[in-house]
Coordinates of all heavy atoms in Angstrom, one line a residue:
M1 N 10.6 9.6 5.0 CA 10.2 11.0 4.7 C 9.3 11.0 3.4 O 9.6 10.3 2.5 CB 11.5 11.8 4.5 CG 11.2 13.3 4.3 SD 12.7 14.2 4.4 CE 12.6 14.7 6.1
L2 N 8.3 11.8 3.5 CA 7.3 11.9 2.4 C 7.7 13.0 1.4 O 8.2 14.0 1.8 CB 5.9 12.1 2.9 CG 5.3 11.0 3.7 CD1 3.9 11.5 4.2 CD2 5.1 9.8 2.8
D3 N 7.5 12.7 0.2 CA 7.6 13.7 -0.9 C 6.3 14.4 -1.0 O 5.2 13.8 -0.8 CB 8.0 13.0 -2.2 CG 8.1 13.9 -3.4 OD1 9.2 14.5 -3.6 OD2 7.1 14.0 -4.1
Y4 N 6.2 15.7 -1.4 CA 4.9 16.4 -1.5 C 4.0 15.7 -2.5 O 2.8 15.7 -2.4 CB 5.1 17.8 -1.9 CG 5.4 18.1 -3.3 CD1 4.3 18.5 -4.2 CD2 6.6 18.1 -3.9 CE1 4.5 18.8 -5.5 CE2 6.8 18.3 -5.2 CZ 5.7 18.7 -6.0 OH 5.9 19.0 -7.4
K5 N 4.5 15.0 -3.5 CA 3.7 14.3 -4.5 C 3.0 13.2 -3.8 O 1.8 12.9 -4.1 CB 4.5 13.9 -5.7 CG 5.0 15.0 -6.6 CD 5.8 14.5 -7.8 CE 6.3 15.6 -8.6 NZ 7.1 15.2 -9.7
D6 N 3.7 12.5 -2.9 CA 3.0 11.4 -2.2 C 1.9 11.9 -1.3 O 0.9 11.3 -1.2 CB 4.1 10.7 -1.3 CG 5.1 9.9 -2.1 OD1 4.8 9.5 -3.2 OD2 6.3 9.8 -1.6
V7 N 2.1 13.1 -0.7 CA 1.1 13.7 0.1 C -0.1 14.1 -0.7 O -1.2 13.8 -0.3 CB 1.7 14.9 0.9 CG1 0.6 15.7 1.6 CG2 2.8 14.5 1.9
L8 N 0.1 14.7 -1.9 CA -1.0 15.0 -2.8 C -1.8 13.8 -3.2 O -3.0 13.8 -3.2 CB -0.5 15.8 -4.0 CG 0.0 17.2 -3.8 CD1 0.5 17.8 -5.1 CD2 -1.2 18.1 -3.3
K9 N -1.1 12.7 -3.5 CA -1.8 11.5 -3.9 C -2.6 10.9 -2.7 O -3.7 10.4 -2.9 CB -0.7 10.4 -4.3 CG -0.2 10.7 -5.7 CD 0.8 9.7 -6.1 CE 1.4 10.0 -7.4 NZ 2.5 9.1 -7.9
K10 N -2.1 11.0 -1.5 CA -2.8 10.5 -0.3 C -4.0 11.3 -0.1 O -5.1 10.8 0.2 CB -1.9 10.4 0.9 CG -2.6 9.9 2.1 CD -3.2 8.5 1.9 CE -3.9 8.1 3.2 NZ -4.9 7.1 3.0
I11 N -3.9 12.6 -0.1 CA -5.0 13.5 0.1 C -6.1 13.2 -1.0 O -7.3 13.2 -0.7 CB -4.6 15.0 0.1 CG1 -3.8 15.3 1.3 CG2 -5.8 15.9 -0.1 CD1 -3.1 16.7 1.4
G12 N -5.6 13.1 -2.2 CA -6.6 12.8 -3.3 C -7.3 11.5 -3.1 O -8.5 11.4 -3.3
L13 N -6.6 10.5 -2.6 CA -7.2 9.2 -2.3 C -8.2 9.3 -1.2 O -9.3 8.7 -1.3 CB -6.1 8.1 -1.9 CG -6.6 6.8 -1.5 CD1 -7.4 6.1 -2.6 CD2 -5.4 5.9 -1.0
N14 N -7.9 10.1 -0.2 CA -8.8 10.3 0.9 C -10.1 11.0 0.4 O -11.2 10.6 0.8 CB -8.2 11.1 2.0 CG -7.1 10.3 2.8 OD1 -7.1 9.1 2.7 ND2 -6.3 11.0 3.5
F15 N -9.9 12.0 -0.5 CA -11.1 12.6 -1.1 C -12.0 11.6 -1.8 O -13.2 11.5 -1.7 CB -10.8 13.8 -2.0 CG -10.7 15.1 -1.3 CD1 -9.5 15.8 -1.2 CD2 -11.7 15.6 -0.6 CE1 -9.3 17.0 -0.6 CE2 -11.6 16.9 0.0 CZ -10.4 17.5 0.0
R16 N -11.3 10.7 -2.6 CA -12.0 9.7 -3.4 C -12.7 8.7 -2.5 O -13.9 8.4 -2.7 CB -11.0 8.9 -4.3 CG -11.7 7.8 -5.1 CD -10.8 7.1 -6.0 NE -10.4 8.0 -7.1 CZ -9.2 8.1 -7.6 NH1 -8.2 7.5 -7.1 NH2 -9.0 8.9 -8.6
I17 N -12.1 8.3 -1.4 CA -12.7 7.4 -0.5 C -13.9 8.0 0.1 O -15.0 7.3 0.2 CB -11.7 6.9 0.6 CG1 -10.6 6.0 0.0 CG2 -12.4 6.3 1.8 CD1 -9.4 5.8 0.9
E18 N -13.8 9.2 0.6 CA -15.0 9.9 1.2 C -16.1 10.1 0.2 O -17.3 10.0 0.6 CB -14.5 11.2 1.9 CG -13.5 11.0 3.1 CD -14.1 10.1 4.2 OE1 -15.3 10.1 4.4 OE2 -13.3 9.4 4.8
R19 N -15.7 10.5 -1.0 CA -16.8 10.7 -2.0 C -17.5 9.5 -2.3 O -18.8 9.5 -2.4 CB -16.1 11.3 -3.3 CG -17.0 11.4 -4.5 CD -16.3 11.9 -5.7 NE -15.3 11.0 -6.2 CZ -15.5 9.8 -6.9 NH1 -16.7 9.4 -7.1 NH2 -14.5 9.1 -7.3
T20 N -16.8 8.4 -2.5 CA -17.5 7.1 -2.8 C -18.3 6.6 -1.6 O -19.3 5.9 -1.8 CB -16.4 6.0 -3.3 OG1 -15.4 5.8 -2.3 CG2 -15.8 6.5 -4.6
K21 N -17.8 6.8 -0.4 CA -18.6 6.4 0.8 C -20.0 7.1 0.7 O -21.0 6.5 1.2 CB -17.9 6.9 2.1 CG -16.8 6.0 2.6 CD -16.4 6.5 3.9 CE -15.1 5.8 4.4 NZ -14.6 6.5 5.6
L22 N -20.0 8.3 0.2 CA -21.3 9.0 0.1 C -22.1 8.7 -1.1 O -23.2 9.2 -1.3 CB -21.0 10.5 0.1 CG -20.4 11.1 1.4 CD1 -20.0 12.5 1.2 CD2 -21.4 11.0 2.6
G23 N -21.5 7.8 -2.0 CA -22.2 7.4 -3.2 C -22.3 8.5 -4.3 O -23.2 8.5 -5.1
L24 N -21.3 9.5 -4.2 CA -21.3 10.6 -5.2 C -20.4 10.3 -6.3 O -19.3 9.7 -6.2 CB -20.8 11.9 -4.5 CG -21.6 12.4 -3.3 CD1 -20.9 13.6 -2.7 CD2 -23.0 12.8 -3.8
S25 N -20.8 10.7 -7.5 CA -19.9 10.6 -8.7 C -19.0 11.8 -8.6 O -19.2 12.8 -7.9 CB -20.7 10.7 -10.0 OG -21.4 12.0 -10.0
Q26 N -17.9 11.8 -9.4 CA -17.0 13.0 -9.5 C -17.8 14.2 -10.0 O -17.6 15.3 -9.5 CB -15.9 12.7 -10.4 CG -14.8 11.9 -9.8 CD -13.6 11.8 -10.8 OE1 -13.6 12.1 -11.9 NE2 -12.5 11.3 -10.2
E27 N -18.8 13.9 -10.9 CA -19.6 15.0 -11.4 C -20.4 15.7 -10.4 O -20.5 16.9 -10.3 CB -20.4 14.5 -12.6 CG -19.7 14.1 -13.8 CD -19.1 12.7 -13.7 OE1 -19.3 12.0 -12.8 OE2 -18.3 12.4 -14.6
R28 N -21.0 14.9 -9.5 CA -21.9 15.4 -8.5 C -21.1 16.1 -7.4 O -21.5 17.2 -6.9 CB -22.7 14.3 -7.8 CG -23.7 14.8 -6.8 CD -24.8 15.6 -7.4 NE -25.6 16.1 -6.3 CZ -26.0 17.4 -6.1 NH1 -25.6 18.3 -6.9 NH2 -26.7 17.7 -5.0
F29 N -19.9 15.6 -7.1 CA -19.0 16.2 -6.1 C -18.6 17.6 -6.6 O -18.6 18.6 -5.9 CB -17.8 15.3 -5.8 CG -16.8 15.8 -4.9 CD1 -17.1 16.8 -3.9 CD2 -15.5 15.3 -4.9 CE1 -16.1 17.3 -3.0 CE2 -14.5 15.8 -4.0 CZ -14.9 16.8 -3.1
A30 N -18.2 17.6 -7.9 CA -17.8 18.9 -8.5 C -19.0 19.9 -8.5 O -18.7 21.1 -8.2 CB -17.4 18.7 -10.0
E31 N -20.1 19.4 -8.7 CA -21.3 20.3 -8.7 C -21.5 20.9 -7.3 O -21.7 22.1 -7.2 CB -22.5 19.5 -9.2 CG -23.8 20.3 -9.3 CD -25.0 19.5 -9.8 OE1 -24.8 18.8 -10.9 OE2 -26.0 19.4 -9.1
I32 N -21.5 20.0 -6.3 CA -21.7 20.5 -4.9 C -20.6 21.5 -4.5 O -20.8 22.5 -3.8 CB -21.7 19.3 -4.0 CG1 -22.9 18.4 -4.2 CG2 -21.6 19.7 -2.5 CD1 -22.9 17.0 -3.6
A33 N -19.3 21.2 -4.9 CA -18.2 22.0 -4.5 C -18.0 23.3 -5.4 O -17.3 24.1 -5.0 CB -16.9 21.2 -4.6
G34 N -18.8 23.3 -6.5 CA -18.7 24.5 -7.4 C -17.4 24.6 -8.2 O -16.9 25.7 -8.4
V35 N -16.9 23.4 -8.5 CA -15.7 23.3 -9.4 C -15.9 22.5 -10.6 O -17.0 21.8 -10.7 CB -14.5 22.8 -8.6 CG1 -14.1 23.7 -7.4 CG2 -14.7 21.4 -8.1
H36 N -15.0 22.4 -11.5 CA -15.1 21.6 -12.7 C -14.8 20.2 -12.4 O -14.0 19.9 -11.6 CB -14.2 22.2 -13.8 CG -14.5 21.7 -15.2 ND1 -14.1 20.4 -15.6 CD2 -15.2 22.2 -16.2 CE1 -14.6 20.2 -16.9 NE2 -15.2 21.3 -17.2
T37 N -15.5 19.3 -13.1 CA -15.2 17.9 -12.9 C -13.8 17.5 -13.1 O -13.2 16.6 -12.4 CB -16.1 17.0 -13.9 OG1 -17.5 17.4 -13.7 CG2 -16.0 15.6 -13.7
N38 N -13.1 18.1 -14.1 CA -11.7 17.8 -14.4 C -10.9 18.2 -13.1 O -9.9 17.5 -12.9 CB -11.2 18.6 -15.6 CG -11.8 18.1 -16.9 OD1 -12.4 17.1 -17.0 ND2 -11.7 19.0 -17.9
Y39 N -11.2 19.2 -12.4 CA -10.5 19.6 -11.2 C -10.6 18.5 -10.2 O -9.6 18.1 -9.6 CB -11.1 20.9 -10.6 CG -10.3 21.4 -9.4 CD1 -9.2 22.1 -9.6 CD2 -10.8 21.1 -8.1 CE1 -8.5 22.6 -8.5 CE2 -10.1 21.6 -7.0 CZ -9.0 22.3 -7.2 OH -8.3 22.8 -6.1
I40 N -11.8 17.9 -10.0 CA -11.9 16.8 -9.0 C -11.1 15.6 -9.4 O -10.4 15.0 -8.6 CB -13.4 16.4 -8.8 CG1 -14.2 17.6 -8.3 CG2 -13.6 15.1 -8.0 CD1 -13.8 18.0 -6.9
G41 N -11.1 15.3 -10.7 CA -10.2 14.2 -11.2 C -8.8 14.4 -10.9 O -8.1 13.5 -10.4
K42 N -8.3 15.6 -11.1 CA -6.9 16.0 -10.8 C -6.6 15.9 -9.3 O -5.5 15.4 -8.9 CB -6.6 17.4 -11.3 CG -6.4 17.4 -12.8 CD -6.0 18.8 -13.3 CE -5.9 18.9 -14.8 NZ -5.5 20.3 -15.2
V43 N -7.5 16.3 -8.5 CA -7.3 16.2 -7.1 C -7.2 14.8 -6.7 O -6.3 14.4 -5.9 CB -8.5 16.9 -6.3 CG1 -8.5 16.6 -4.8 CG2 -8.5 18.4 -6.5
E44 N -8.1 14.0 -7.1 CA -8.2 12.6 -6.7 C -7.0 11.8 -7.2 O -6.6 10.8 -6.6 CB -9.5 11.9 -7.1 CG -10.7 12.4 -6.3 CD -12.0 11.7 -6.6 OE1 -12.0 10.8 -7.5 OE2 -13.0 12.0 -5.9
R45 N -6.4 12.2 -8.3 CA -5.2 11.5 -8.8 C -3.9 12.1 -8.2 O -2.8 11.6 -8.5 CB -5.1 11.7 -10.4 CG -6.2 10.8 -11.1 CD -6.0 10.8 -12.6 NE -5.9 12.1 -13.2 CZ -7.0 12.8 -13.6 NH1 -8.2 12.3 -13.5 NH2 -6.9 14.0 -14.2
G46 N -4.0 13.1 -7.4 CA -2.9 13.8 -6.8 C -2.1 14.6 -7.8 O -0.9 14.9 -7.5
E47 N -2.8 15.1 -8.8 CA -2.1 16.0 -9.8 C -2.3 17.5 -9.5 O -1.7 18.3 -10.2 CB -2.6 15.6 -11.2 CG -2.3 14.2 -11.6 CD -3.1 13.8 -12.9 OE1 -3.9 14.6 -13.4 OE2 -2.8 12.6 -13.3
Q48 N -3.2 17.8 -8.6 CA -3.6 19.2 -8.4 C -3.0 19.6 -7.0 O -3.3 19.0 -6.0 CB -5.1 19.4 -8.3 CG -5.6 20.8 -8.1 CD -5.2 21.7 -9.2 OE1 -5.4 21.3 -10.4 NE2 -4.7 22.8 -8.9
N49 N -2.1 20.6 -7.1 CA -1.6 21.2 -5.8 C -2.7 22.0 -5.1 O -3.2 23.0 -5.7 CB -0.4 22.0 -6.2 CG 0.5 22.3 -4.9 OD1 0.2 21.9 -3.8 ND2 1.5 23.1 -5.1
L50 N -3.0 21.6 -4.0 CA -4.2 22.2 -3.3 C -3.7 23.2 -2.2 O -2.7 23.0 -1.5 CB -5.0 21.1 -2.5 CG -5.6 20.1 -3.4 CD1 -6.0 18.9 -2.6 CD2 -6.8 20.7 -4.1
T51 N -4.4 24.3 -2.1 CA -4.2 25.2 -1.0 C -5.0 24.7 0.2 O -5.9 23.9 0.1 CB -4.7 26.6 -1.3 OG1 -6.2 26.6 -1.5 CG2 -4.0 27.2 -2.6
V52 N -4.6 25.2 1.4 CA -5.4 24.9 2.6 C -6.8 25.3 2.4 O -7.7 24.5 2.8 CB -4.7 25.5 3.8 CG1 -5.6 25.3 5.1 CG2 -3.3 25.0 4.1
K53 N -7.0 26.4 1.9 CA -8.4 26.9 1.7 C -9.2 26.0 0.8 O -10.4 25.6 1.2 CB -8.4 28.3 1.0 CG -9.7 28.9 0.7 CD -9.6 30.2 -0.1 CE -11.0 30.7 -0.4 NZ -11.0 31.9 -1.2
K54 N -8.6 25.5 -0.2 CA -9.4 24.5 -1.1 C -9.6 23.2 -0.4 O -10.7 22.6 -0.6 CB -8.6 24.3 -2.5 CG -9.4 23.6 -3.5 CD -10.8 24.2 -3.7 CE -10.8 25.4 -4.6 NZ -12.2 25.8 -4.9
I55 N -8.7 22.7 0.3 CA -8.9 21.5 1.1 C -10.1 21.6 2.0 O -10.9 20.8 2.1 CB -7.6 21.1 1.9 CG1 -6.5 20.6 0.9 CG2 -7.9 19.9 2.8 CD1 -5.1 20.5 1.5
V56 N -10.1 22.8 2.7 CA -11.2 23.0 3.6 C -12.6 23.1 2.9 O -13.6 22.5 3.3 CB -11.0 24.3 4.5 CG1 -12.2 24.7 5.3 CG2 -9.8 24.1 5.4
E57 N -12.6 23.8 1.8 CA -13.8 24.0 1.0 C -14.3 22.6 0.5 O -15.5 22.3 0.5 CB -13.6 24.9 -0.2 CG -13.4 26.4 0.2 CD -13.0 27.3 -0.9 OE1 -12.8 26.8 -2.1 OE2 -13.0 28.5 -0.7
L58 N -13.4 21.8 -0.1 CA -13.8 20.5 -0.6 C -14.2 19.6 0.5 O -15.2 18.8 0.4 CB -12.6 19.9 -1.4 CG -12.3 20.6 -2.7 CD1 -11.0 19.9 -3.3 CD2 -13.4 20.6 -3.7
S59 N -13.5 19.6 1.6 CA -13.9 18.8 2.8 C -15.3 19.2 3.3 O -16.2 18.3 3.5 CB -13.0 19.0 4.0 OG -11.7 18.5 3.6
N60 N -15.6 20.5 3.4 CA -16.9 21.0 3.8 C -18.0 20.6 2.8 O -19.1 20.3 3.2 CB -16.9 22.5 3.9 CG -16.1 23.0 5.2 OD1 -15.8 22.2 6.1 ND2 -15.7 24.2 5.2
S61 N -17.6 20.5 1.5 CA -18.6 20.1 0.5 C -19.1 18.7 0.7 O -20.2 18.3 0.4 CB -18.0 20.2 -0.9 OG -17.7 21.6 -1.2
L62 N -18.1 17.9 1.2 CA -18.5 16.5 1.5 C -19.0 16.3 2.9 O -19.3 15.2 3.3 CB -17.2 15.6 1.3 CG -16.7 15.4 -0.1 CD1 -15.4 14.6 -0.1 CD2 -17.8 14.8 -1.0
K63 N -18.9 17.4 3.7 CA -19.3 17.3 5.1 C -18.4 16.3 5.9 O -18.9 15.5 6.7 CB -20.8 17.0 5.3 CG -21.6 18.1 4.8 CD -23.1 17.9 5.0 CE -23.9 19.1 4.7 NZ -24.6 19.1 3.4
V64 N -17.1 16.3 5.6 CA -16.1 15.4 6.2 C -15.1 16.3 6.9 O -14.7 17.3 6.4 CB -15.4 14.6 5.1 CG1 -14.3 13.8 5.6 CG2 -16.4 13.7 4.3
P65 N -14.7 15.9 8.1 CA -13.7 16.7 8.8 C -12.4 16.7 8.0 O -11.9 15.8 7.4 CB -13.4 15.9 10.1 CG -14.6 15.0 10.3 CD -15.1 14.7 8.9
V66 N -11.7 17.9 8.0 CA -10.5 18.1 7.3 C -9.4 17.1 7.8 O -8.6 16.6 7.0 CB -10.0 19.5 7.5 CG1 -8.6 19.7 6.9 CG2 -10.9 20.5 6.9
S67 N -9.5 16.8 9.1 CA -8.5 15.8 9.6 C -8.6 14.4 8.9 O -7.6 13.8 8.8 CB -8.8 15.6 11.1 OG -10.1 15.2 11.4
D68 N -9.8 14.0 8.5 CA -10.0 12.8 7.7 C -9.3 12.9 6.4 O -8.7 11.9 5.9 CB -11.4 12.4 7.5 CG -12.1 12.0 8.8 OD1 -11.5 12.0 9.9 OD2 -13.3 11.7 8.7
I69 N -9.3 14.0 5.8 CA -8.7 14.2 4.5 C -7.2 14.3 4.6 O -6.4 13.8 3.8 CB -9.2 15.5 3.8 CG1 -10.8 15.4 3.5 CG2 -8.5 15.8 2.5 CD1 -11.2 14.2 2.7
L70 N -6.7 14.9 5.7 CA -5.3 15.1 5.8 C -4.6 13.9 6.5 O -3.4 13.9 6.7 CB -5.0 16.4 6.6 CG -5.4 17.7 6.0 CD1 -5.1 18.8 6.9 CD2 -4.7 17.8 4.6
C71 N -5.3 12.9 6.9 CA -4.7 11.7 7.5 C -3.8 11.0 6.5 O -4.3 10.5 5.5 CB -5.8 10.8 8.0 SG -5.1 9.3 8.8
L72 N -2.5 11.0 6.7 CA -1.6 10.4 5.8 C -1.3 9.0 6.1 O -0.7 8.3 5.2 CB -0.3 11.3 5.8 CG -0.5 12.7 5.4 CD1 0.8 13.5 5.4 CD2 -1.1 12.9 4.0
Y73 N -1.5 8.5 7.3 CA -1.2 7.2 7.6 C -2.4 6.4 8.0 O -3.0 6.7 9.1 CB -0.1 7.2 8.8 CG 1.1 7.9 8.4 CD1 1.3 9.2 8.8 CD2 2.1 7.3 7.6 CE1 2.5 9.9 8.4 CE2 3.2 8.0 7.2 CZ 3.4 9.3 7.6 OH 4.5 9.9 7.2
S74 N -2.8 5.5 7.2 CA -4.0 4.7 7.5 C -3.8 3.4 6.8 O -3.0 3.2 5.9 CB -5.2 5.4 7.0 OG -5.3 5.5 5.6
A75 N -4.7 2.5 7.2 CA -4.7 1.1 6.5 C -5.0 1.2 5.1 O -4.7 0.3 4.3 CB -5.6 0.2 7.3
Q76 N -5.6 2.3 4.6 CA -6.0 2.4 3.2 C -4.9 2.8 2.3 O -4.9 2.7 1.1 CB -7.1 3.5 3.1 CG -8.3 3.1 3.9 CD -9.2 4.3 4.2 OE1 -8.9 5.4 4.0 NE2 -10.5 4.0 4.6
W77 N -3.7 3.2 2.9 CA -2.6 3.7 2.1 C -1.9 2.5 1.5 O -1.4 1.6 1.7 CB -1.7 4.6 2.8 CG -0.6 5.2 1.9 CD1 0.1 4.6 1.0 CD2 -0.1 6.5 1.9 NE1 0.9 5.4 0.4 CE2 0.8 6.6 0.9 CE3 -0.4 7.6 2.7 CZ2 1.5 7.8 0.7 CZ3 0.3 8.8 2.4 CH2 1.2 8.9 1.4

């Protein structure tokens, strides 16, 4: 059984993986998403509790399906 903190960390890791695949810095991702760089750092470290709305907005900013971000079980974990 997963703890919500583990889920936040996995979602954050998925955002980091997708961001780096695109060759984006945290600063550029934040700029595209219209959020502060510190916010992206907290998301990627699993320190920011995300709403569904924010997950969708950030996913759309990367042009990545939400399902890729919410995938909790993968070889990358």
